[in-house]
Amino acid sequence: MSDSSSRFQRIGRTAFAAACVCIGGAYAQSPASSCAQPLCVNRSDDDATAPVPGMLRYAVRNAAAGAVITFDPALNGRIIELDRRSPGNHIKVERDLSIQGPGANLLTIDGGNATRILFVADGTVQISGVTLANGRAKGGDGGA
């Protein structure tokens, strides 16, 4: 074998090894979330006056009729605590939509005994895969 072909084989093996390391590194990273904005909830905080993308309140406000709201797997085992600054900080739903959590044992939406969690003003709402906890409720007309 000539010096140039031997050098070419060494370069080729090095490039192949580097490519394998790069490809392996790509698989070692966490998978990209299939949760897309604005219908993806990936934040556990809440702000009734200025919701931002990633908050449950933002997803509900920006969902089209019939939309499905999902949760980023990074929220598994977490609690979404609703804004407790005033008793009227419930999340208002005004259209048909579905809220699909990862499992009732994996995600809780908490009203903190300060507010109801959801107020369905209009539409049909399907909720699954979440625990709703510590919400306050009054009669349908707002009475005691």
Side-chain angles (χ1 to χ4, degrees), residues 6-131:
S6 176
R7 188 169 7 115
F8 178 73
Q9 285 180 338
R10 281 192 305 268
I11 292 170
R13 276 183 262 154
T14 302
F16 177 75
C20 290
V21 169
C22 290
I23 292 170
Y27 286 106
Q29 296 174 355
S30 61
S33 173
S34 60
C35 197
Q37 293 297 330
L39 300 177
C40 171
V41 178
N42 60 11
R43 298 174 61 120
S44 60
D45 59 331
D46 181 48
D47 188 326
T49 57
V52 297
M55 290 180 178
L56 175 59
R57 185 179 306 272
Y58 182 90
V60 169
R61 282 187 182 177
N62 290 282
V68 177
I69 295 171
T70 59
F71 297 83
D72 191 296
L75 290 178
N76 288 359
R78 307 276 305 271
I79 296 172
I80 296 174
E81 295 184 15
L82 297 188
D83 187 340
R84 298 177 187 167
R85 292 178 284 183
S86 79
N89 286 345
H90 54 262
I91 296 174
K92 188 173 185 179
V93 180
E94 300 180 288
R95 66 194 64 80
D96 295 348
L97 63 87
S98 294
I99 297 173
Q100 293 181 351
N105 61 331
L106 294 174
L107 184 66
T108 299
I109 302 169
D110 190 330
N113 290 317
T115 186
R116 74 176 69 205
I117 296 169
L118 297 166
F119 178 71
V120 181
D122 194 12
T124 300
V125 180
Q126 296 178 348
I127 302 170
S128 63
V130 299
T131 294

